[in-house]
């Protein structure tokens, strides 16, 4: 009951937003979801979306709306929408503070400082399972395997533990391996600072590369 009061006061208009999203989903579809920051959007992100969309009727990709990243929210959203434009069963959008935000999980935005700390992602997980998934008929949430980031790994473990009681399955997919390793947005950001255009081109979709190249000019 307290959580419900918090949601109503913190997210005025969230129901209207969910209704708007529902109108874009074909009737009778079982939906899956991915929540991504995409800082920037890489071949690894695209691979995860391509795999997930084949395992569900309709896939919703939520782009983290917080402006606490190297790339602004608008640029990240633009990258994801451009890459997913060919897919007829993928919808790209955001849910503001309701899905993975400083309100629901502040630890996510301090990951570098918290790699050796035990965190509690339950608030974000419960909000998604209670208020977002039922309204949009989301029965699966897809994540990539996380071998390095302990904060994200704890988040995934919390979802895996709590989602089944809400009828949601957490599906962990293997990450794309390229040149013997996983693709990292962190590496792409470093290459941008080094102005290494050719290496960037190999790690991101052409649509992302066009946006990055325009920013670097």
């Amino acid at each position: 009951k307290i959580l419900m009061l918090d949601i109503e006061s913190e997210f005025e208009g969230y129901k209207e937003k969910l209704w708007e999203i529902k109108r874009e989903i074909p009737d009778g579809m079982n939906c899956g979801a991915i929540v991504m920051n995409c800082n920037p959007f890489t071949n690894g992100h695209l691979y995860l979306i391509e795999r997930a969309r084949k395992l569900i009727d309709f896939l919703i990709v939520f782009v983290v709306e917080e402006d606490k990243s190297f790339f602004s929210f608008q640029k990240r959203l633009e990258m994801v929408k451009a890459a997913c434009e060919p897919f007829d069963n993928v919808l790209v959008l955001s849910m503001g503070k309701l899905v993975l935000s400083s309100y629901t999980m502040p630890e996510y935005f301090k990951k570098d400082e918290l790699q050796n700390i035990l965190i509690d992602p339950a608030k974000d997980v419960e909000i998604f399972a209670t208020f977002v998934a039922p309204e949009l008929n989301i029965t699966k949430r897809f994540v990539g395997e996380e071998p390095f980031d302990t904060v994200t790994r704890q988040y995934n473990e919390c979802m895996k533990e709590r989602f089944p009681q809400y009828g949601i399955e957490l599906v962990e997919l293997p990450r794309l391996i390229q040149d013997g390793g996983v693709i990292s947005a962190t590496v792409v950001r470093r290459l941008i600072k080094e102005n290494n255009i050719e290496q960037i081109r190999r790690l991101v979709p052409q649509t992302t590369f066009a946006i990055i190249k325009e920013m670097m000019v």
Side-chain angles (χ1 to χ4, degrees), residues 40-91:
F41 187 80
T42 67
N43 289 337
H45 293 117
L46 181 58
Y47 176 77
L48 181 60
I49 290 171
E50 288 178 325
R51 288 284 305 273
R53 79 182 194 90
K54 294 174 182 176
L55 299 173
I56 199 75
D57 295 337
F58 197 85
L59 181 67
I60 304 169
V61 179
F62 293 100
V63 180
V64 174
E65 193 166 328
E66 293 277 3
D67 262 324
K68 296 180 179 292
S69 301
F70 183 84
F71 289 90
S72 70
F73 161 65
Q74 290 300 333
K75 280 297 179 188
R76 291 183 286 107
L77 185 67
E78 181 184 348
M79 290 176 188
V80 186
K81 283 188 171 183
C84 293
E85 198 276 332
F87 304 145
D88 59 4
N89 70 330
V90 177
L91 177 64

Side-chain angles (χ1 to χ4, degrees), residues 121 150 152-162 170:
T150 61
T152 301
R153 192 183 311 136
Q154 290 179 74
Y155 183 34
N156 291 352
E157 288 170 355
C158 184
M159 287 189 281
K160 189 181 296 184
E161 177 186 333
R162 291 174 179 257
L170 184 77

Side-chain angles (χ1 to χ4, degrees), residues 111-139:
K111 289 196 290 185
D112 291 346
E113 308 163 29
L114 301 175
Q115 287 301 307
N116 298 315
I117 304 296
L118 185 65
I119 66 163
D120 182 8
K123 182 176 183 179
D124 181 272
V125 174
E126 295 285 341
I127 287 174
F128 181 85
T130 305
F131 297 98
V132 179
E135 288 293 332
L136 302 180
N137 198 29
I138 293 170
T139 56

Side-chain angles (χ1 to χ4, degrees), residues 25-37:
I25 301 171
D27 291 340
M29 292 285 184
N30 282 321
C31 294
I34 301 178
V35 178
M36 291 180 159
N37 195 33

